[in-house]
Amino acid sequence: MVTCAIPLFLLETAIGQSTQQGGITSWRKVCPLAEGIGYGGILILAYSAMYYIVILAWALLYLVFSFSSQLPWATCTNFWNTDDCVDFSTQNRTFKWTNQPNITSPATEFWERRVLAISGGIEEVGSIRWEILLCLIVMWVISYFCIWKGVKSTGKVVYFTATFPYLMLLVLLVRGLTLPGALNGIVFYLLPELSRLTDPQVWMEAGSQVFFSFGVGIGALSSLGSYNIYNNNCYKDCLQLCLLNSVTSVVAGFAVFSVLGYMAHELGTPIEEVAESGPGLAFIAYPQAIAMMPLPQLWAICFFVMIILLGLDTQFVGMEVVMTSITDIFPKVLRRRGRRELLLLLYCLTCFFCQLIMVTEGGMYVFLLFDYYACNGVCILFLCAFESLAMGWIFGAENLNDVIEDMTGVRPNPFFKLCWLYLTPLVSLVSLVWSLVEYQPLTYNRWYVYPDWAYVIGWLLALSSILIVPVCALIKMCAGSGTLRQKACNGNIK
């Protein structure tokens, strides 16, 4: 975070603010040779728009079910439950459910059999889950009408969607900390398992989460920074936002693991046996823990409202960045009255129809393919490494410092120059190479192995945002006249 995320956060924001351009054309001004970084970032945002909003559709469906007189994932008496389902709330604490290979929880069966109706593999696409499709349409309609008029209307919506989740988070945190067993969850959260520190996959996932949380490498900060006035103190803003983001993540961890500690306490099992990652945390582990609390409907509503609002924030930003970047490429055409709304509608419809396979019975396998390959840490690490190399060595770290000082009146700490020149590209490249050497193919629930053709598709998705960088650089070098240095940095940042 210190050597990569924060320096890149400042770098990208400064590029956008100084050029007053989006994620693609800003590179055209500061370092044309690196314009492919902007295209790669926009491609990742397009992939994420297709799969990320599916999470919001799931959350909306769970929110609707949260208004039931009894939470449907709390019991084993529903039509979708099997004989292997065990209602843990009716078991005494000596029941070691984790040692029983065939039993499942009601939350797991609700997720896999009721919500997803998951098939046996990616080869079995199955039928569309109409409830999820309806929720997906609702999320797209909300997203469209919240940003269709541009950043001004989006800003008004974000005043609510960005602040209200903090209230929900505070409520869940207070409730979680007052539950029995919460302390065990907090201790598990704070004390690392030292043996895992040598596992490259742990560092890869941590780095991916930090980069995704900070929004670096995908052009989002450049596009958003372009809406600042030239003399805005982006240096101070970046430091404050990075601190706020980190504190929020830590506090959210307390809220989640205190509840997981409570669930482990009620079940009489180690917390590592109930902790999940990915969708399993939001749609299996946490709902199951909520179902064991008093007034479970209230806490379920609070949790899923928070998930939806936080997710909408991310979706808004991704869509706005794509709109800004494309509009800046074709300003004369797309800045006419009504053109932005049509472009946004076309983008939403394209993403919607491309993602329909994710709301089928085999959709979860496709969803994970996008999550693991198209928007994973390898792609973002690659873009971040070459972004820092381009700005540190081609445009010049000292020149970037001059630009920031000209805008803010404050010269960045020398540590940032050190990062842009050496630490950020080094850490990013080492992490990238290490993750490729230790690469593990994607599996589902550690038992389903994807067919070879699915892995090929996954790597094609990943390489599409990576290879576009050298391809664009090669085109720039072959086109035009002048020396390589002139082609690499012949733009004007002002």
PDB file of all heavy atoms in Angstrom, residues 436-470:
ATOM      1  N   LEU A 436       2.831 -15.226 -11.406  1.00  0.00           N
ATOM      2  CA  LEU A 436       2.800 -16.059 -12.605  1.00  0.00           C
ATOM      3  C   LEU A 436       3.533 -17.375 -12.379  1.00  0.00           C
ATOM      4  O   LEU A 436       3.100 -18.433 -12.852  1.00  0.00           O
ATOM      5  CB  LEU A 436       3.412 -15.305 -13.787  1.00  0.00           C
ATOM      6  CG  LEU A 436       2.615 -14.113 -14.313  1.00  0.00           C
ATOM      7  CD1 LEU A 436       3.398 -13.393 -15.390  1.00  0.00           C
ATOM      8  CD2 LEU A 436       1.258 -14.555 -14.844  1.00  0.00           C
ATOM      9  N   VAL A 437       4.642 -17.318 -11.653  1.00  0.00           N
ATOM     10  CA  VAL A 437       5.402 -18.545 -11.364  1.00  0.00           C
ATOM     11  C   VAL A 437       4.583 -19.494 -10.495  1.00  0.00           C
ATOM     12  O   VAL A 437       4.574 -20.711 -10.694  1.00  0.00           O
ATOM     13  CB  VAL A 437       6.735 -18.187 -10.682  1.00  0.00           C
ATOM     14  CG1 VAL A 437       7.425 -19.447 -10.162  1.00  0.00           C
ATOM     15  CG2 VAL A 437       7.653 -17.450 -11.648  1.00  0.00           C
ATOM     16  N   GLU A 438       3.880 -18.926  -9.509  1.00  0.00           N
ATOM     17  CA  GLU A 438       3.106 -19.733  -8.567  1.00  0.00           C
ATOM     18  C   GLU A 438       1.633 -19.831  -8.959  1.00  0.00           C
ATOM     19  O   GLU A 438       0.771 -20.091  -8.123  1.00  0.00           O
ATOM     20  CB  GLU A 438       3.214 -19.120  -7.162  1.00  0.00           C
ATOM     21  CG  GLU A 438       4.616 -19.076  -6.604  1.00  0.00           C
ATOM     22  CD  GLU A 438       5.188 -20.454  -6.326  1.00  0.00           C
ATOM     23  OE1 GLU A 438       4.386 -21.381  -6.072  1.00  0.00           O
ATOM     24  OE2 GLU A 438       6.416 -20.607  -6.356  1.00  0.00           O
ATOM     25  N   TYR A 439       1.345 -19.633 -10.215  1.00  0.00           N
ATOM     26  CA  TYR A 439      -0.043 -19.610 -10.678  1.00  0.00           C
ATOM     27  C   TYR A 439      -0.758 -20.925 -10.391  1.00  0.00           C
ATOM     28  O   TYR A 439      -0.223 -22.010 -10.621  1.00  0.00           O
ATOM     29  CB  TYR A 439      -0.070 -19.327 -12.185  1.00  0.00           C
ATOM     30  CG  TYR A 439      -1.350 -19.705 -12.873  1.00  0.00           C
ATOM     31  CD1 TYR A 439      -2.506 -18.946 -12.706  1.00  0.00           C
ATOM     32  CD2 TYR A 439      -1.410 -20.845 -13.684  1.00  0.00           C
ATOM     33  CE1 TYR A 439      -3.697 -19.305 -13.343  1.00  0.00           C
ATOM     34  CE2 TYR A 439      -2.580 -21.198 -14.332  1.00  0.00           C
ATOM     35  CZ  TYR A 439      -3.727 -20.431 -14.152  1.00  0.00           C
ATOM     36  OH  TYR A 439      -4.890 -20.777 -14.779  1.00  0.00           O
ATOM     37  N   GLN A 440      -1.969 -20.809  -9.860  1.00  0.00           N
ATOM     38  CA  GLN A 440      -2.821 -21.965  -9.629  1.00  0.00           C
ATOM     39  C   GLN A 440      -4.101 -21.793 -10.441  1.00  0.00           C
ATOM     40  O   GLN A 440      -4.769 -20.770 -10.336  1.00  0.00           O
ATOM     41  CB  GLN A 440      -3.176 -22.085  -8.131  1.00  0.00           C
ATOM     42  CG  GLN A 440      -2.001 -22.363  -7.226  1.00  0.00           C
ATOM     43  CD  GLN A 440      -1.424 -23.743  -7.459  1.00  0.00           C
ATOM     44  OE1 GLN A 440      -2.146 -24.681  -7.802  1.00  0.00           O
ATOM     45  NE2 GLN A 440      -0.119 -23.889  -7.270  1.00  0.00           N
ATOM     46  N   PRO A 441      -4.470 -22.772 -11.261  1.00  0.00           N
ATOM     47  CA  PRO A 441      -5.692 -22.639 -12.066  1.00  0.00           C
ATOM     48  C   PRO A 441      -6.925 -22.460 -11.179  1.00  0.00           C
ATOM     49  O   PRO A 441      -6.974 -22.928 -10.038  1.00  0.00           O
ATOM     50  CB  PRO A 441      -5.751 -23.965 -12.837  1.00  0.00           C
ATOM     51  CG  PRO A 441      -4.364 -24.504 -12.812  1.00  0.00           C
ATOM     52  CD  PRO A 441      -3.767 -24.041 -11.518  1.00  0.00           C
ATOM     53  N   LEU A 442      -7.898 -21.788 -11.719  1.00  0.00           N
ATOM     54  CA  LEU A 442      -9.144 -21.537 -11.004  1.00  0.00           C
ATOM     55  C   LEU A 442      -9.917 -22.832 -10.780  1.00  0.00           C
ATOM     56  O   LEU A 442     -10.017 -23.681 -11.668  1.00  0.00           O
ATOM     57  CB  LEU A 442     -10.004 -20.558 -11.819  1.00  0.00           C
ATOM     58  CG  LEU A 442     -11.437 -20.312 -11.341  1.00  0.00           C
ATOM     59  CD1 LEU A 442     -11.446 -19.616  -9.991  1.00  0.00           C
ATOM     60  CD2 LEU A 442     -12.211 -19.498 -12.373  1.00  0.00           C
ATOM     61  N   THR A 443     -10.453 -22.982  -9.577  1.00  0.00           N
ATOM     62  CA  THR A 443     -11.370 -24.073  -9.262  1.00  0.00           C
ATOM     63  C   THR A 443     -12.579 -23.486  -8.539  1.00  0.00           C
ATOM     64  O   THR A 443     -12.516 -22.362  -8.037  1.00  0.00           O
ATOM     65  CB  THR A 443     -10.720 -25.141  -8.366  1.00  0.00           C
ATOM     66  OG1 THR A 443     -10.289 -24.531  -7.123  1.00  0.00           O
ATOM     67  CG2 THR A 443      -9.529 -25.777  -9.046  1.00  0.00           C
ATOM     68  N   TYR A 444     -13.663 -24.242  -8.498  1.00  0.00           N
ATOM     69  CA  TYR A 444     -14.841 -23.809  -7.750  1.00  0.00           C
ATOM     70  C   TYR A 444     -14.998 -24.705  -6.529  1.00  0.00           C
ATOM     71  O   TYR A 444     -15.088 -25.926  -6.644  1.00  0.00           O
ATOM     72  CB  TYR A 444     -16.096 -23.878  -8.620  1.00  0.00           C
ATOM     73  CG  TYR A 444     -17.353 -23.505  -7.859  1.00  0.00           C
ATOM     74  CD1 TYR A 444     -17.596 -22.183  -7.503  1.00  0.00           C
ATOM     75  CD2 TYR A 444     -18.276 -24.476  -7.475  1.00  0.00           C
ATOM     76  CE1 TYR A 444     -18.738 -21.836  -6.794  1.00  0.00           C
ATOM     77  CE2 TYR A 444     -19.414 -24.133  -6.772  1.00  0.00           C
ATOM     78  CZ  TYR A 444     -19.640 -22.814  -6.432  1.00  0.00           C
ATOM     79  OH  TYR A 444     -20.757 -22.472  -5.713  1.00  0.00           O
ATOM     80  N   ASN A 445     -15.016 -24.063  -5.358  1.00  0.00           N
ATOM     81  CA  ASN A 445     -15.169 -24.785  -4.091  1.00  0.00           C
ATOM     82  C   ASN A 445     -14.113 -25.875  -3.895  1.00  0.00           C
ATOM     83  O   ASN A 445     -14.352 -26.870  -3.217  1.00  0.00           O
ATOM     84  CB  ASN A 445     -16.564 -25.405  -3.975  1.00  0.00           C
ATOM     85  CG  ASN A 445     -17.584 -24.407  -3.473  1.00  0.00           C
ATOM     86  OD1 ASN A 445     -17.244 -23.280  -3.105  1.00  0.00           O
ATOM     87  ND2 ASN A 445     -18.849 -24.811  -3.458  1.00  0.00           N
ATOM     88  N   ARG A 446     -12.973 -25.677  -4.546  1.00  0.00           N
ATOM     89  CA  ARG A 446     -11.821 -26.566  -4.385  1.00  0.00           C
ATOM     90  C   ARG A 446     -12.070 -27.991  -4.884  1.00  0.00           C
ATOM     91  O   ARG A 446     -11.276 -28.887  -4.622  1.00  0.00           O
ATOM     92  CB  ARG A 446     -11.347 -26.601  -2.922  1.00  0.00           C
ATOM     93  CG  ARG A 446     -10.801 -25.288  -2.434  1.00  0.00           C
ATOM     94  CD  ARG A 446     -10.273 -25.397  -1.017  1.00  0.00           C
ATOM     95  NE  ARG A 446     -11.349 -25.601  -0.059  1.00  0.00           N
ATOM     96  CZ  ARG A 446     -12.026 -24.613   0.513  1.00  0.00           C
ATOM     97  NH1 ARG A 446     -11.736 -23.364   0.219  1.00  0.00           N
ATOM     98  NH2 ARG A 446     -12.983 -24.871   1.381  1.00  0.00           N
ATOM     99  N   TRP A 447     -13.175 -28.195  -5.634  1.00  0.00           N
ATOM    100  CA  TRP A 447     -13.411 -29.545  -6.165  1.00  0.00           C
ATOM    101  C   TRP A 447     -13.687 -29.545  -7.655  1.00  0.00           C
ATOM    102  O   TRP A 447     -13.338 -30.497  -8.349  1.00  0.00           O
ATOM    103  CB  TRP A 447     -14.565 -30.228  -5.441  1.00  0.00           C
ATOM    104  CG  TRP A 447     -15.887 -29.536  -5.620  1.00  0.00           C
ATOM    105  CD1 TRP A 447     -16.429 -28.605  -4.778  1.00  0.00           C
ATOM    106  CD2 TRP A 447     -16.829 -29.692  -6.686  1.00  0.00           C
ATOM    107  NE1 TRP A 447     -17.645 -28.170  -5.255  1.00  0.00           N
ATOM    108  CE2 TRP A 447     -17.919 -28.824  -6.421  1.00  0.00           C
ATOM    109  CE3 TRP A 447     -16.856 -30.465  -7.846  1.00  0.00           C
ATOM    110  CZ2 TRP A 447     -19.017 -28.717  -7.276  1.00  0.00           C
ATOM    111  CZ3 TRP A 447     -17.954 -30.368  -8.692  1.00  0.00           C
ATOM    112  CH2 TRP A 447     -19.019 -29.503  -8.394  1.00  0.00           C
ATOM    113  N   TYR A 448     -14.304 -28.491  -8.162  1.00  0.00           N
ATOM    114  CA  TYR A 448     -14.616 -28.457  -9.588  1.00  0.00           C
ATOM    115  C   TYR A 448     -13.447 -27.854 -10.364  1.00  0.00           C
ATOM    116  O   TYR A 448     -13.053 -26.717 -10.116  1.00  0.00           O
ATOM    117  CB  TYR A 448     -15.883 -27.649  -9.850  1.00  0.00           C
ATOM    118  CG  TYR A 448     -16.159 -27.447 -11.327  1.00  0.00           C
ATOM    119  CD1 TYR A 448     -16.651 -28.492 -12.117  1.00  0.00           C
ATOM    120  CD2 TYR A 448     -15.883 -26.229 -11.949  1.00  0.00           C
ATOM    121  CE1 TYR A 448     -16.881 -28.320 -13.467  1.00  0.00           C
ATOM    122  CE2 TYR A 448     -16.119 -26.048 -13.306  1.00  0.00           C
ATOM    123  CZ  TYR A 448     -16.611 -27.101 -14.062  1.00  0.00           C
ATOM    124  OH  TYR A 448     -16.821 -26.925 -15.397  1.00  0.00           O
ATOM    125  N   VAL A 449     -12.919 -28.609 -11.319  1.00  0.00           N
ATOM    126  CA  VAL A 449     -11.828 -28.154 -12.170  1.00  0.00           C
ATOM    127  C   VAL A 449     -12.408 -27.778 -13.525  1.00  0.00           C
ATOM    128  O   VAL A 449     -13.103 -28.574 -14.161  1.00  0.00           O
ATOM    129  CB  VAL A 449     -10.754 -29.253 -12.340  1.00  0.00           C
ATOM    130  CG1 VAL A 449      -9.652 -28.762 -13.264  1.00  0.00           C
ATOM    131  CG2 VAL A 449     -10.188 -29.657 -10.992  1.00  0.00           C
ATOM    132  N   TYR A 450     -12.112 -26.573 -13.973  1.00  0.00           N
ATOM    133  CA  TYR A 450     -12.630 -26.091 -15.244  1.00  0.00           C
ATOM    134  C   TYR A 450     -12.014 -26.865 -16.403  1.00  0.00           C
ATOM    135  O   TYR A 450     -10.876 -27.330 -16.324  1.00  0.00           O
ATOM    136  CB  TYR A 450     -12.305 -24.604 -15.414  1.00  0.00           C
ATOM    137  CG  TYR A 450     -13.184 -23.662 -14.626  1.00  0.00           C
ATOM    138  CD1 TYR A 450     -13.093 -23.574 -13.247  1.00  0.00           C
ATOM    139  CD2 TYR A 450     -14.102 -22.839 -15.277  1.00  0.00           C
ATOM    140  CE1 TYR A 450     -13.884 -22.717 -12.519  1.00  0.00           C
ATOM    141  CE2 TYR A 450     -14.906 -21.959 -14.558  1.00  0.00           C
ATOM    142  CZ  TYR A 450     -14.799 -21.908 -13.183  1.00  0.00           C
ATOM    143  OH  TYR A 450     -15.590 -21.038 -12.474  1.00  0.00           O
ATOM    144  N   PRO A 451     -12.736 -26.996 -17.510  1.00  0.00           N
ATOM    145  CA  PRO A 451     -12.143 -27.620 -18.710  1.00  0.00           C
ATOM    146  C   PRO A 451     -11.065 -26.717 -19.301  1.00  0.00           C
ATOM    147  O   PRO A 451     -11.039 -25.510 -19.050  1.00  0.00           O
ATOM    148  CB  PRO A 451     -13.342 -27.761 -19.658  1.00  0.00           C
ATOM    149  CG  PRO A 451     -14.328 -26.734 -19.194  1.00  0.00           C
ATOM    150  CD  PRO A 451     -14.144 -26.637 -17.703  1.00  0.00           C
ATOM    151  N   ASP A 452     -10.202 -27.282 -20.106  1.00  0.00           N
ATOM    152  CA  ASP A 452      -9.073 -26.537 -20.662  1.00  0.00           C
ATOM    153  C   ASP A 452      -9.519 -25.326 -21.472  1.00  0.00           C
ATOM    154  O   ASP A 452      -8.891 -24.273 -21.440  1.00  0.00           O
ATOM    155  CB  ASP A 452      -8.215 -27.466 -21.535  1.00  0.00           C
ATOM    156  CG  ASP A 452      -7.488 -28.518 -20.710  1.00  0.00           C
ATOM    157  OD1 ASP A 452      -7.319 -28.293 -19.492  1.00  0.00           O
ATOM    158  OD2 ASP A 452      -7.098 -29.558 -21.278  1.00  0.00           O
ATOM    159  N   TRP A 453     -10.607 -25.468 -22.248  1.00  0.00           N
ATOM    160  CA  TRP A 453     -11.056 -24.350 -23.075  1.00  0.00           C
ATOM    161  C   TRP A 453     -11.491 -23.158 -22.229  1.00  0.00           C
ATOM    162  O   TRP A 453     -11.369 -22.013 -22.658  1.00  0.00           O
ATOM    163  CB  TRP A 453     -12.165 -24.788 -24.021  1.00  0.00           C
ATOM    164  CG  TRP A 453     -13.415 -25.312 -23.351  1.00  0.00           C
ATOM    165  CD1 TRP A 453     -13.732 -26.613 -23.119  1.00  0.00           C
ATOM    166  CD2 TRP A 453     -14.512 -24.527 -22.849  1.00  0.00           C
ATOM    167  NE1 TRP A 453     -14.959 -26.714 -22.495  1.00  0.00           N
ATOM    168  CE2 TRP A 453     -15.462 -25.443 -22.331  1.00  0.00           C
ATOM    169  CE3 TRP A 453     -14.783 -23.164 -22.792  1.00  0.00           C
ATOM    170  CZ2 TRP A 453     -16.659 -25.026 -21.751  1.00  0.00           C
ATOM    171  CZ3 TRP A 453     -15.978 -22.738 -22.212  1.00  0.00           C
ATOM    172  CH2 TRP A 453     -16.907 -23.652 -21.699  1.00  0.00           C
ATOM    173  N   ALA A 454     -11.989 -23.417 -21.017  1.00  0.00           N
ATOM    174  CA  ALA A 454     -12.385 -22.323 -20.128  1.00  0.00           C
ATOM    175  C   ALA A 454     -11.157 -21.556 -19.645  1.00  0.00           C
ATOM    176  O   ALA A 454     -11.175 -20.315 -19.543  1.00  0.00           O
ATOM    177  CB  ALA A 454     -13.175 -22.856 -18.948  1.00  0.00           C
ATOM    178  N   TYR A 455     -10.071 -22.294 -19.355  1.00  0.00           N
ATOM    179  CA  TYR A 455      -8.835 -21.621 -18.942  1.00  0.00           C
ATOM    180  C   TYR A 455      -8.264 -20.780 -20.094  1.00  0.00           C
ATOM    181  O   TYR A 455      -7.718 -19.696 -19.866  1.00  0.00           O
ATOM    182  CB  TYR A 455      -7.803 -22.649 -18.480  1.00  0.00           C
ATOM    183  CG  TYR A 455      -8.157 -23.327 -17.173  1.00  0.00           C
ATOM    184  CD1 TYR A 455      -8.205 -24.710 -17.072  1.00  0.00           C
ATOM    185  CD2 TYR A 455      -8.452 -22.574 -16.037  1.00  0.00           C
ATOM    186  CE1 TYR A 455      -8.526 -25.339 -15.884  1.00  0.00           C
ATOM    187  CE2 TYR A 455      -8.772 -23.202 -14.845  1.00  0.00           C
ATOM    188  CZ  TYR A 455      -8.817 -24.585 -14.778  1.00  0.00           C
ATOM    189  OH  TYR A 455      -9.149 -25.188 -13.592  1.00  0.00           O
ATOM    190  N   VAL A 456      -8.404 -21.281 -21.310  1.00  0.00           N
ATOM    191  CA  VAL A 456      -7.938 -20.517 -22.476  1.00  0.00           C
ATOM    192  C   VAL A 456      -8.715 -19.208 -22.580  1.00  0.00           C
ATOM    193  O   VAL A 456      -8.135 -18.125 -22.790  1.00  0.00           O
ATOM    194  CB  VAL A 456      -8.087 -21.344 -23.765  1.00  0.00           C
ATOM    195  CG1 VAL A 456      -7.806 -20.482 -24.995  1.00  0.00           C
ATOM    196  CG2 VAL A 456      -7.149 -22.550 -23.730  1.00  0.00           C
ATOM    197  N   ILE A 457     -10.030 -19.286 -22.413  1.00  0.00           N
ATOM    198  CA  ILE A 457     -10.852 -18.072 -22.449  1.00  0.00           C
ATOM    199  C   ILE A 457     -10.445 -17.118 -21.335  1.00  0.00           C
ATOM    200  O   ILE A 457     -10.340 -15.900 -21.534  1.00  0.00           O
ATOM    201  CB  ILE A 457     -12.348 -18.430 -22.332  1.00  0.00           C
ATOM    202  CG1 ILE A 457     -12.814 -19.173 -23.584  1.00  0.00           C
ATOM    203  CG2 ILE A 457     -13.193 -17.173 -22.108  1.00  0.00           C
ATOM    204  CD1 ILE A 457     -14.243 -19.670 -23.516  1.00  0.00           C
ATOM    205  N   GLY A 458     -10.183 -17.666 -20.157  1.00  0.00           N
ATOM    206  CA  GLY A 458      -9.764 -16.829 -19.026  1.00  0.00           C
ATOM    207  C   GLY A 458      -8.482 -16.069 -19.315  1.00  0.00           C
ATOM    208  O   GLY A 458      -8.394 -14.859 -19.066  1.00  0.00           O
ATOM    209  N   TRP A 459      -7.502 -16.770 -19.865  1.00  0.00           N
ATOM    210  CA  TRP A 459      -6.230 -16.113 -20.166  1.00  0.00           C
ATOM    211  C   TRP A 459      -6.353 -15.130 -21.332  1.00  0.00           C
ATOM    212  O   TRP A 459      -5.656 -14.117 -21.362  1.00  0.00           O
ATOM    213  CB  TRP A 459      -5.154 -17.158 -20.444  1.00  0.00           C
ATOM    214  CG  TRP A 459      -4.531 -17.659 -19.177  1.00  0.00           C
ATOM    215  CD1 TRP A 459      -4.658 -18.890 -18.616  1.00  0.00           C
ATOM    216  CD2 TRP A 459      -3.702 -16.905 -18.291  1.00  0.00           C
ATOM    217  NE1 TRP A 459      -3.973 -18.964 -17.434  1.00  0.00           N
ATOM    218  CE2 TRP A 459      -3.363 -17.757 -17.204  1.00  0.00           C
ATOM    219  CE3 TRP A 459      -3.215 -15.601 -18.297  1.00  0.00           C
ATOM    220  CZ2 TRP A 459      -2.561 -17.346 -16.155  1.00  0.00           C
ATOM    221  CZ3 TRP A 459      -2.408 -15.183 -17.234  1.00  0.00           C
ATOM    222  CH2 TRP A 459      -2.087 -16.046 -16.192  1.00  0.00           C
ATOM    223  N   LEU A 460      -7.240 -15.396 -22.274  1.00  0.00           N
ATOM    224  CA  LEU A 460      -7.481 -14.433 -23.344  1.00  0.00           C
ATOM    225  C   LEU A 460      -8.078 -13.141 -22.778  1.00  0.00           C
ATOM    226  O   LEU A 460      -7.731 -12.037 -23.217  1.00  0.00           O
ATOM    227  CB  LEU A 460      -8.410 -15.027 -24.402  1.00  0.00           C
ATOM    228  CG  LEU A 460      -7.807 -16.124 -25.299  1.00  0.00           C
ATOM    229  CD1 LEU A 460      -8.868 -16.704 -26.224  1.00  0.00           C
ATOM    230  CD2 LEU A 460      -6.632 -15.571 -26.105  1.00  0.00           C
ATOM    231  N   LEU A 461      -8.971 -13.282 -21.812  1.00  0.00           N
ATOM    232  CA  LEU A 461      -9.537 -12.104 -21.158  1.00  0.00           C
ATOM    233  C   LEU A 461      -8.449 -11.318 -20.435  1.00  0.00           C
ATOM    234  O   LEU A 461      -8.401 -10.083 -20.495  1.00  0.00           O
ATOM    235  CB  LEU A 461     -10.625 -12.525 -20.165  1.00  0.00           C
ATOM    236  CG  LEU A 461     -11.933 -13.052 -20.761  1.00  0.00           C
ATOM    237  CD1 LEU A 461     -12.815 -13.644 -19.661  1.00  0.00           C
ATOM    238  CD2 LEU A 461     -12.671 -11.956 -21.494  1.00  0.00           C
ATOM    239  N   ALA A 462      -7.566 -12.044 -19.744  1.00  0.00           N
ATOM    240  CA  ALA A 462      -6.492 -11.370 -19.006  1.00  0.00           C
ATOM    241  C   ALA A 462      -5.510 -10.692 -19.956  1.00  0.00           C
ATOM    242  O   ALA A 462      -5.106  -9.540 -19.749  1.00  0.00           O
ATOM    243  CB  ALA A 462      -5.762 -12.380 -18.115  1.00  0.00           C
ATOM    244  N   LEU A 463      -5.128 -11.396 -21.005  1.00  0.00           N
ATOM    245  CA  LEU A 463      -4.130 -10.859 -21.933  1.00  0.00           C
ATOM    246  C   LEU A 463      -4.666  -9.700 -22.773  1.00  0.00           C
ATOM    247  O   LEU A 463      -3.888  -8.882 -23.263  1.00  0.00           O
ATOM    248  CB  LEU A 463      -3.628 -11.970 -22.854  1.00  0.00           C
ATOM    249  CG  LEU A 463      -2.765 -13.054 -22.188  1.00  0.00           C
ATOM    250  CD1 LEU A 463      -2.478 -14.175 -23.166  1.00  0.00           C
ATOM    251  CD2 LEU A 463      -1.473 -12.459 -21.647  1.00  0.00           C
ATOM    252  N   SER A 464      -5.983  -9.613 -22.922  1.00  0.00           N
ATOM    253  CA  SER A 464      -6.548  -8.550 -23.749  1.00  0.00           C
ATOM    254  C   SER A 464      -6.229  -7.166 -23.187  1.00  0.00           C
ATOM    255  O   SER A 464      -5.972  -6.229 -23.949  1.00  0.00           O
ATOM    256  CB  SER A 464      -8.066  -8.718 -23.856  1.00  0.00           C
ATOM    257  OG  SER A 464      -8.685  -8.607 -22.582  1.00  0.00           O
ATOM    258  N   SER A 465      -6.219  -7.027 -21.853  1.00  0.00           N
ATOM    259  CA  SER A 465      -5.898  -5.730 -21.253  1.00  0.00           C
ATOM    260  C   SER A 465      -4.404  -5.540 -21.047  1.00  0.00           C
ATOM    261  O   SER A 465      -3.950  -4.425 -20.773  1.00  0.00           O
ATOM    262  CB  SER A 465      -6.619  -5.586 -19.901  1.00  0.00           C
ATOM    263  OG  SER A 465      -6.246  -6.619 -19.006  1.00  0.00           O
ATOM    264  N   ILE A 466      -3.627  -6.611 -21.190  1.00  0.00           N
ATOM    265  CA  ILE A 466      -2.176  -6.527 -21.029  1.00  0.00           C
ATOM    266  C   ILE A 466      -1.489  -6.242 -22.370  1.00  0.00           C
ATOM    267  O   ILE A 466      -0.663  -5.327 -22.482  1.00  0.00           O
ATOM    268  CB  ILE A 466      -1.629  -7.833 -20.408  1.00  0.00           C
ATOM    269  CG1 ILE A 466      -2.115  -7.972 -18.951  1.00  0.00           C
ATOM    270  CG2 ILE A 466      -0.110  -7.867 -20.466  1.00  0.00           C
ATOM    271  CD1 ILE A 466      -1.718  -9.288 -18.306  1.00  0.00           C
ATOM    272  N   LEU A 467      -1.847  -7.018 -23.373  1.00  0.00           N
ATOM    273  CA  LEU A 467      -1.176  -6.890 -24.668  1.00  0.00           C
ATOM    274  C   LEU A 467      -1.492  -5.584 -25.375  1.00  0.00           C
ATOM    275  O   LEU A 467      -0.736  -5.155 -26.256  1.00  0.00           O
ATOM    276  CB  LEU A 467      -1.560  -8.068 -25.569  1.00  0.00           C
ATOM    277  CG  LEU A 467      -1.088  -9.453 -25.103  1.00  0.00           C
ATOM    278  CD1 LEU A 467      -1.513 -10.520 -26.094  1.00  0.00           C
ATOM    279  CD2 LEU A 467       0.433  -9.478 -24.926  1.00  0.00           C
ATOM    280  N   ILE A 468      -2.596  -4.961 -25.000  1.00  0.00           N
ATOM    281  CA  ILE A 468      -2.954  -3.702 -25.654  1.00  0.00           C
ATOM    282  C   ILE A 468      -1.926  -2.607 -25.360  1.00  0.00           C
ATOM    283  O   ILE A 468      -1.756  -1.678 -26.153  1.00  0.00           O
ATOM    284  CB  ILE A 468      -4.373  -3.258 -25.208  1.00  0.00           C
ATOM    285  CG1 ILE A 468      -4.926  -2.226 -26.187  1.00  0.00           C
ATOM    286  CG2 ILE A 468      -4.365  -2.716 -23.780  1.00  0.00           C
ATOM    287  CD1 ILE A 468      -6.390  -1.925 -25.963  1.00  0.00           C
ATOM    288  N   VAL A 469      -1.193  -2.743 -24.249  1.00  0.00           N
ATOM    289  CA  VAL A 469      -0.172  -1.745 -23.900  1.00  0.00           C
ATOM    290  C   VAL A 469       1.005  -1.792 -24.884  1.00  0.00           C
ATOM    291  O   VAL A 469       1.341  -0.774 -25.505  1.00  0.00           O
ATOM    292  CB  VAL A 469       0.302  -1.929 -22.446  1.00  0.00           C
ATOM    293  CG1 VAL A 469       1.407  -0.932 -22.109  1.00  0.00           C
ATOM    294  CG2 VAL A 469      -0.863  -1.764 -21.483  1.00  0.00           C
ATOM    295  N   PRO A 470       1.676  -2.945 -25.069  1.00  0.00           N
ATOM    296  CA  PRO A 470       2.775  -2.963 -26.045  1.00  0.00           C
ATOM    297  C   PRO A 470       2.302  -2.763 -27.481  1.00  0.00           C
ATOM    298  O   PRO A 470       3.040  -2.197 -28.299  1.00  0.00           O
ATOM    299  CB  PRO A 470       3.402  -4.348 -25.850  1.00  0.00           C
ATOM    300  CG  PRO A 470       2.360  -5.175 -25.195  1.00  0.00           C
ATOM    301  CD  PRO A 470       1.579  -4.234 -24.345  1.00  0.00           C
TER     302      PRO A 470
END
